[in-house]
Amino acid sequence: MFLGRVTGSVWSTVKWPAAKGLKLLLVRPYQLGDLPATVAGAATPETAGMKPLDDLVVCADLLDAGPGDDVLVAFGHAARVAVAEALGPGQKPDAPIDAAVVAIVDRLELAKR
Amino acid sequence: MFLGRVTGSVWSTVKWPAAKGLKLLLVRPYQLGDLPATVAGAATPETAGMKPLDDLVVCADLLDAGPGDDVLVAFGHAARVAVAEALGPGQKPDAPIDAAVVAIVDRLELAKR
Amino acid sequence: MFLGRVTGSVWSTVKWPAAKGLKLLLVRPYQLGDLPATVAGAATPETAGMKPLDDLVVCADLLDAGPGDDVLVAFGHAARVAVAEALGPGQKPDAPIDAAVVAIVDRLELAKR
Amino acid sequence: MFLGRVTGSVWSTVKWPAAKGLKLLLVRPYQLGDLPATVAGAATPETAGMKPLDDLVVCADLLDAGPGDDVLVAFGHAARVAVAEALGPGQKPDAPIDAAVVAIVDRLELAKR
Amino acid sequence: MFLGRVTGSVWSTVKWPAAKGLKLLLVRPYQLGDLPATVAGAATPETAGMKPLDDLVVCADLLDAGPGDDVLVAFGHAARVAVAEALGPGQKPDAPIDAAVVAIVDRLELAKR
């Protein structure tokens, strides 16, 4: 998974039923080099001084994340499992998506460097 | 998924029945750093000042996208699902492709930075 | 998929029956930034001025591609499907390879930039 | 797999039962260029002078790794297998995660360059 | 697959039976830009002047490769197939690894540039 910040939303025209109604977010990954050394203390990504990179990932979101939220994004089968589970346990994870929010970050704890 | 602009087409010689007749597009990914901060307003990628990168992806397209369109592209199993669904629900997603257009972008909404 | 040029061959010692006899090619990816704007005209990668990058992919080839050919290469399951289909429809795509030529490029058509 | 150093922990809000309770770590990959040539001797990553990159991966951990540990991280199905095996042999590897610690590094042995 | 040189070994603590006893190697990928043009002649990676990059991949090896050997490495399912086949045809390729040596390179043949 990668750690990123939600920075926008995408509205699009889709044709597959499994993908219709899926909320799509723009997420920018963080880079660890922006993290300050801390004394095993607690810091959210923002207070830790992390700056998002220029990379851009579009991912499905069923966790009600919004702009400014820090999230964990998974790719591939893991993303389809995340989307399928919310649609019902009997459905196969076959949505035509390859990235999804799998968690909303509450807190980071960093080791000294 | 990534957000990109359709910038051309590819004609090629294929031998697998599942891939014959598939329209293949050249797509250039966008980079988020090109996006201006907006007041939670609506902006298409173009009006938002996004510039495509030099990277290049060839993907199958069943959504009738064309040059200048902004699209979402998925990789791997998601791409084969997208292609298979259009060919009939009983077919296994086994086309020898690993990228496909899964949506045509109508609108982006960006958070303030 | 990515667009690349065949630039060499690899001879190697393998132990898996499914991989023995597979032709292995060295392929260099192209970068879209090298493409000139054209008036919706037709151009092969070479006449369009594309230059290959330094990256290097080794892929299986069942399409009889050779040095100087421009090809489309797919990764993962798509590559194994491409190899398996040529070996017979009943075989599972379980060759220990993760990249294969899936098409030989005949022509590119580029949009104006 | 890649070789990286554990540099922190992530606490997050998840909704999938399979992911609840999973410990999530921040891991920084090493780059081989930082390794000194050694005379086929033994060296841990630290004594070998390796410096972690700025990249950042969030991965599940069932091996009780902690800050400062050097670990091997695998992606995709391999990561879900690693997590599933610890949960019981009958469970399908369908946790919505795409990266996990698969080994804790005891020792590296480097060839002369 | 990618072409790389074996540059070291990793000893680690693992807990999954399928991964215990697997030899783990450090492999550095080659970059094609280091290859000289040759007259369709034969050249090993070393005599061709290839220099490995700084990237670093840890992969399982069942082909008895050692430091200085040039190998082909595959990722994902292909790597698990490579490892499983050596363990017996009835076993599912579910080792918690995502990279493996799939061939030892004997010879490269490069096209003129």
Side-chain angles (χ1 to χ4, degrees), chain A residues 8-72:
Chain A
S9 302
V10 181
W11 279 264
S12 61
T13 302
V14 296
K15 59 176 285 192
W16 296 276
K20 271 180 184 159
L22 274 183
K23 188 173 75 171
L24 296 174
L25 296 177
L26 288 165
V27 176
R28 302 175 76 182
Y30 282 104
Q31 195 171 37
L32 190 53
D34 301 316
L35 292 172
T38 68
V39 194
T44 66
E46 192 156 31
T47 61
M50 296 174 79
K51 296 176 203 154
L53 292 175
D54 277 343
D55 289 328
L56 169 64
V57 173
V58 178
C59 59
D61 170 44
L62 295 175
L63 295 183
D64 204 22
D69 282 344
D70 290 307
V71 295
L72 298 183

Side-chain angles (χ1 to χ4, degrees), chain D residues 2-113:
Chain D
F2 74 85
L3 175 64
R5 173 160 295 184
V6 178
T7 192
S9 302
V10 181
W11 279 264
S12 61
T13 303
V14 296
K15 60 177 285 192
W16 297 276
K20 270 180 184 159
L22 273 182
K23 188 172 76 170
L24 297 174
L25 297 177
L26 288 166
V27 177
R28 303 175 75 184
Y30 282 104
Q31 195 172 36
L32 189 52
D34 300 317
L35 293 172
T38 68
V39 193
T44 66
E46 192 156 31
T47 62
M50 297 174 79
K51 296 176 203 154
L53 292 175
D54 277 343
D55 289 328
L56 169 63
V57 173
V58 178
C59 59
D61 171 45
L62 295 176
L63 296 183
D64 204 22
D69 282 344
D70 290 307
V71 296
L72 299 182
V73 175
F75 289 102
H77 182 76
R80 287 182 293 276
V81 167
V83 170
E85 192 145 8
L87 298 175
Q91 284 180 288
K92 276 194 290 187
D94 265 347
I97 61 120
D98 64 6
V101 175
V102 294
I104 297 180
V105 174
D106 295 325
R107 193 165 63 89
L108 295 181
E109 188 170 295
L110 305 171
K112 289 188 197 180
R113 277 193 279 182

Side-chain angles (χ1 to χ4, degrees), chain E residues 21-102:
Chain E
L22 273 182
K23 188 173 76 170
L24 296 174
L25 297 177
L26 289 165
V27 176
R28 301 176 75 184
Y30 282 104
Q31 195 171 36
L32 189 53
D34 301 316
L35 292 172
T38 68
V39 194
T44 67
E46 190 156 32
T47 61
M50 297 173 78
K51 296 176 203 153
L53 292 174
D54 277 344
D55 290 328
L56 169 64
V57 174
V58 178
C59 59
D61 171 45
L62 295 176
L63 296 184
D64 205 21
D69 282 344
D70 290 307
V71 296
L72 299 183
V73 176
F75 289 102
H77 182 76
R80 288 182 292 275
V81 167
V83 170
E85 193 146 6
L87 298 176
Q91 284 181 287
K92 275 194 290 186
D94 265 347
I97 60 124
D98 64 5
V101 175
V102 294

Side-chain angles (χ1 to χ4, degrees), chain B residues 33-96:
Chain B
D34 301 315
L35 292 172
T38 68
V39 193
T44 66
E46 191 156 33
T47 61
M50 297 174 80
K51 296 176 203 154
L53 294 174
D54 276 345
D55 289 328
L56 169 64
V57 173
V58 178
C59 59
D61 171 44
L62 295 175
L63 295 184
D64 206 21
D69 282 343
D70 290 307
V71 296
L72 299 183
V73 176
F75 289 102
H77 182 74
R80 287 182 293 276
V81 167
V83 170
E85 192 146 7
L87 299 176
Q91 284 181 288
K92 276 194 290 186
D94 264 348

Side-chain angles (χ1 to χ4, degrees), chain C residues 3-101:
Chain C
L3 174 64
R5 173 160 295 183
V6 178
T7 192
S9 302
V10 181
W11 278 264
S12 61
T13 303
V14 295
K15 59 176 284 192
W16 296 277
K20 271 181 184 158
L22 273 182
K23 188 173 76 170
L24 296 174
L25 296 177
L26 288 165
V27 176
R28 302 175 76 183
Y30 282 105
Q31 195 171 37
L32 189 53
D34 300 316
L35 292 172
T38 68
V39 194
T44 66
E46 191 156 32
T47 61
M50 297 174 81
K51 296 175 203 154
L53 293 175
D54 277 344
D55 290 328
L56 169 65
V57 173
V58 178
C59 58
D61 171 45
L62 295 175
L63 296 183
D64 205 21
D69 282 344
D70 290 307
V71 296
L72 299 183
V73 176
F75 288 102
H77 182 75
R80 287 182 293 275
V81 167
V83 170
E85 191 145 7
L87 298 177
Q91 284 180 288
K92 274 193 291 186
D94 264 348
I97 60 123
D98 64 5
V101 175

